């Protein structure tokens, strides 16, 4: 018996070595952790239980029968993050460059299937050279099997992709179908075709970083949500992030103890809105002074920064936050901000996360570039997302809510549950000066100024909307947290169903 146990330990030690000490050292030399080291940081200490440690590939072409490593380039299993169950896979670049084979894919599919059965998040760590060329179409079939599970799991369990090395070709589509993507600066890349292919086909010369690096994907493309300096920073952020999310669409949002009083008054918010309507202020200040302990995890902070999205907590329970940002483009809605917020709202709705919306929006961004690139359809995505959402929705208008953008930003007409306004709110079709110039064409400057003051006195306040019931209450800024907390208590057991349908047809 002891000999058998000893043999098992030898086999386990061999599997833990992956591609061998030389390749592990090469991974470290690049400033990267190995597949198993990453899981050690991500998961609670001692919680990881591995599956399929001894799986091997079944390829016999190109001499592959003589190159066999236990685990076949991916470490799979389950563990806990802050005591909560998650399923994980971590690609091992030391084994065939982390390339995906048929068996490699089967291992990933097994943990995804199990996560779906039990209702637990899936966290995938991607560090792979792509399809294993020696296996040909069998490898491509493996990718498609993973893609199918990404689609079936969407909206059922949270899916988080951590890109911690190369991710190229067909491999990029699995992370793209997950809910959130984190990347590491200077060491992780995502692209359908690499720099060499781009140069051959289009004669463009581009580096890996410029083509598909973390900065590119978190600023220009919006493919990734957040970029981090190194492996450790990313993995610790992933631990914090997963703590905000429910285990599945059948589970409530997680709760954590908080010493932050639900009825805390924040007097400084009474001074947040500048005297001049054209002067910006930072919406982050309002968000951090409203949520528990100022703890706010922002998603896509570097992309479409004119709108803010992310997660916080009220009374220890997760909420999703969407807010216009007056510091960037005056908080205007455009193509990128509409797409960013729409996807976030749909995620929150899928997992029953209440949505709090802070509104200060002067309208949609005008211009030929916006119109020709489809602002109508892209803006409709945000409208559609809010309108279909059945989760608790609380909206607070802090200053401007003009035109169609007023409607889009979780208005009462889109089934907003509680719609509040600060006394500084201006709810109108457009700004006073623009409205006067249309209504009173031909007036001189003095006449325009007089009529503008008259228009502002009549419409640049929340009371016209409040008289019509479009605003439930005009509240003091300092009581914002208290009002949201009370509202969420009331709405905790909200039930609302959309008409039966196979699925909707959002304007993609």
């Amino acid at each position: 018996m002891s000999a058998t146990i000893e043999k098992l330990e030898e086999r386990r030690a061999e599997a833990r070595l992956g591609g061998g000490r030389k390749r592990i050292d090469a991974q470290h030399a690049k400033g990267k952790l190995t597949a198993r080291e990453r899981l050690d940081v991500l998961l609670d200490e001692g919680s990881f239980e591995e599956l399929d440690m001894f799986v091997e590939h079944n390829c016999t072409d190109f001499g592959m029968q003589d190159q066999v490593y236990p685990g076949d380039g991916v470490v799979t299993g389950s563990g806990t993050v802050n005591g909560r169950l998650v399923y994980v896979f971590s690609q091992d670049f030391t084994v065939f460059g982390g390339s995906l084979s048929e068996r490699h894919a089967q291992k990933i599919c097994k943990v995804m299937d199990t996560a779906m059965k039990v209702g637990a998040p899936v966290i995938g760590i991607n560090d792979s050279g792509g399809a294993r060329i020696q296996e040909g179409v069998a490898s491509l079939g493996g990718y498609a099997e993973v893609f199918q599970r990404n689609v079936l799991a969407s909206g059922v369990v949270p899916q988080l992709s951590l890109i911690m090395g190369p991710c190229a070709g067909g491999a990029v589509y699995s992370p793209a179908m997950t809910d959130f993507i984190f990347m590491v600066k200077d060491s992780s890349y995502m692209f359908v075709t690499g720099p060499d292919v781009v140069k051959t086909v289009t004669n463009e010369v581009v580096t890996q970083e410029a083509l598909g690096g973390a900065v590119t994907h978190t600023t220009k493309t919006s493919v990734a949500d957040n970029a981090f300096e190194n492996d450790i920073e990313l993995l610790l952020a992933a631990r914090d992030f997963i703590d905000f999310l429910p285990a599945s669409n059948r589970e409530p949002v997680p709760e954590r103890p908080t010493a932050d009083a639900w009825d805390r008054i924040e007097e400084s918010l009474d001074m947040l809105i500048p005297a001049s309507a054209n002067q910006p202020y930072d919406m982050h200040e309002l968000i951090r002074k409203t949520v528990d302990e100022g703890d706010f995890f922002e998603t896509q902070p570097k992309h479409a920064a004119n709108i803010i999205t992310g997660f916080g907590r009220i009374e220890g329970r997760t909420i999703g936050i969407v807010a216009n940002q007056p510091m960037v483009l005056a908080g205007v809605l455009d193509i990128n901000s509409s797409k960013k917020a729409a996807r976030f709202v749909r995620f929150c709705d899928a997992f029953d996360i209440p949505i709090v919306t802070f509104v200060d929006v002067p309208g949609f961004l005008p211009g030929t570039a916006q119109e020709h690139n489809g602002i109508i359809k892209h803006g409709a995505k945000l409208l559609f997302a809010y309108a279909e959402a059945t989760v608790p929705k609380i909206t607070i208008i802090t200053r401007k809510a003009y035109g169609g953008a007023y409607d889009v930003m979780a208005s009462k007409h889109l089934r907003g549950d509680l719609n509040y306004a600060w006394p500084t709110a201006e709810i109108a079709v457009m700004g006073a000066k623009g409205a006067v110039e249309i209504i009173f064409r031909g007036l001189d400057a003095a006449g325009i100024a007089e009529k503008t003051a008259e228009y502002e006195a009549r419409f640049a306040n929340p009371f016209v909307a409040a008289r019509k019931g479009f605003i439930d209450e005009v509240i003091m800024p300092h009581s914002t947290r208290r009002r949201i907390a009370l509202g969420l208590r009331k709405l905790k057991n909200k039930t609302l169903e959309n008409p039966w349908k196979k699925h909707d047809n959002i304007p993609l």
Side-chain angles (χ1 to χ4, degrees):
M1 183 69 176
S2 59
T4 305
I5 293 173
E6 190 177 320
K7 186 67 175 175
L8 172 60
E9 288 303 326
E10 287 176 6
R11 283 179 173 272
R12 285 180 171 175
E14 182 188 0
R16 292 191 187 104
L17 269 179
R21 177 53 56 189
K22 185 178 178 182
R23 288 175 181 163
I24 289 173
D25 291 342
Q27 185 86 337
H28 289 162
K30 297 174 188 171
K32 296 162 65 176
L33 300 177
T34 65
R36 292 177 183 279
E37 289 168 344
R38 287 165 175 163
L39 292 177
D40 287 342
V41 177
L42 175 66
L43 302 174
D44 297 338
E45 187 176 355
S47 70
F48 180 54
E49 290 192 294
E50 188 168 352
L51 297 174
D52 292 335
M53 177 183 270
F54 304 116
V55 163
E56 298 173 352
H57 70 72
N58 57 349
C59 180
T60 57
D61 295 318
F62 305 104
M64 286 294 287
Q65 69 276 9
D66 300 322
Q67 302 180 61
V68 176
Y69 296 89
D72 202 32
V74 64
V75 183
T76 60
S78 64
T80 60
V81 175
N82 297 320
R84 301 172 65 227
L85 175 67
V86 296
Y87 280 83
V88 293
F89 65 86
S90 181
Q91 292 181 315
D92 187 351
F93 196 79
T94 70
V95 177
F96 301 120
S99 60
L100 184 133
S101 69
E102 185 178 24
R103 292 284 171 83
H104 180 126
Q106 287 170 356
K107 289 181 64 173
I108 294 173
C109 290
K110 184 187 283 189
V111 293
M112 294 184 74
D113 289 341
T114 309
M116 287 275 284
K117 286 178 196 171
V118 304
V122 176
I123 304 175
I125 299 177
N126 297 75
D127 188 0
S128 168
R132 192 169 300 170
I133 298 170
Q134 295 91 333
E135 293 202 15
V137 72
S139 175
L140 300 181
Y143 270 128
E145 292 286 349
V146 176
F147 300 159
Q148 181 64 66
R149 282 158 178 81
N150 289 134
V151 173
L152 295 178
S154 182
V156 179
V157 296
Q159 299 179 78
L160 176 59
S161 293
L162 311 180
I163 313 299
M164 305 187 73
C167 187
V172 298
Y173 291 111
S174 174
M177 289 186 288
T178 61
D179 299 307
F180 297 95
I181 298 174
F182 293 172
M183 295 183 73
V184 181
K185 294 177 184 176
D186 301 319
S187 66
S188 66
Y189 312 98
M190 296 179 74
F191 34 66
V192 175
T193 54
D196 293 339
V197 176
V198 170
K199 184 174 186 296
T200 300
V201 176
T202 69
N203 280 327
E204 294 175 278
V205 177
V206 64
T207 65
Q208 282 188 321
E209 187 63 34
L211 181 63
V215 173
T216 295
H217 283 314
T218 52
T219 57
K220 294 180 182 178
T221 69
S222 81
V223 167
D225 294 275
N226 296 72
F228 300 92
E229 295 297 330
N230 54 56
D231 283 15
I232 297 287
E233 189 179 309
L234 182 150
L235 293 163
L236 293 178
R239 282 180 59 85
D240 289 341
F241 183 73
I242 209 75
D243 231 18
F244 284 99
L245 308 183
S248 73
N249 62 358
R250 303 191 299 272
E251 297 290 326
V253 295
E255 282 191 60
R256 71 177 342 179
T258 178
D260 200 347
W262 68 272
D263 57 351
R264 168 170 50 81
I265 298 298
E266 194 62 59
E267 300 285 358
S268 62
L269 291 181
D270 291 343
M271 309 296 292
L272 181 65
I273 305 298
S276 169
N278 294 322
Q279 189 175 339
Y281 60 94
D282 191 353
M283 191 65 84
H284 284 106
E285 182 178 347
L286 170 55
I287 294 169
R288 294 194 181 280
K289 287 181 176 178
T290 299
V291 298
D292 293 351
E293 285 107 25
D295 185 17
F296 176 59
F297 196 108
E298 187 172 357
T299 59
Q300 295 193 348
K302 301 297 184 183
H303 176 75
N306 43 321
I307 204 159
I308 299 168
T309 59
F311 298 102
R313 296 181 182 89
I314 297 286
E315 293 196 90
R317 294 171 58 82
T318 301
I319 59 169
I321 295 172
V322 178
N324 305 114
Q325 172 57 298
M327 297 287 287
V328 181
L329 295 174
V332 73
L333 284 175
D334 59 3
I335 289 171
N336 287 339
S337 63
S338 297
K339 291 192 295 182
K340 170 182 169 179
R343 180 163 167 80
F344 183 80
V345 167
R346 283 170 68 86
F347 175 84
C348 290
D349 189 49
F351 289 99
D352 273 337
I353 299 172
I355 301 168
V356 175
T357 307
F358 295 109
V359 182
D360 186 351
V361 61
F364 282 91
L365 182 64
T368 55
Q370 288 289 306
E371 295 293 351
H372 292 173
N373 285 297
I375 183 62
I376 295 171
K377 204 155 205 176
H378 294 300
K381 291 174 182 176
L382 183 54
L383 169 63
F384 196 108
Y386 269 125
E388 74 166 345
T390 60
V391 294
K393 292 183 284 192
I394 298 178
T395 304
I396 296 169
I397 300 173
T398 61
R399 189 165 63 175
K400 298 173 183 174
Y402 289 167
Y406 153 72
D407 285 326
V408 169
M409 292 297 295
S411 63
K412 179 63 73 178
H413 324 284
L414 301 184
R415 303 189 298 186
D417 295 298
L418 290 169
N419 291 69
Y420 295 132
W422 285 4
T424 47
E426 305 170 20
I427 305 167
V429 174
M430 62 176 64
K433 189 171 184 294
V436 166
E437 287 173 348
I438 292 172
I439 298 170
F440 302 101
R441 295 179 188 277
L443 279 183
D444 59 16
I448 290 287
E450 180 186 343
K451 291 296 183 182
T452 298
E454 183 182 325
Y455 188 95
E456 286 176 343
R458 184 169 180 184
F459 293 109
N461 61 69
F463 298 104
V464 175
R467 282 198 295 269
K468 296 178 183 294
F470 299 164
I471 294 297
D472 294 306
E473 181 67 284
V474 180
I475 66 171
M476 294 301 292
H478 65 247
S479 67
T480 298
R481 174 178 165 86
R482 175 178 170 275
R483 291 283 189 159
I484 292 172
L486 284 172
L488 292 172
R489 288 183 187 180
K490 295 170 192 171
L491 296 167
K492 188 174 181 180
N493 296 319
K494 171 188 174 182
T495 57
L496 176 64
E497 291 186 1
N498 291 325
W500 184 91
K501 60 187 83 172
K502 185 175 181 181
H503 58 73
D504 53 50
N505 187 22
I506 186 170
L508 292 172

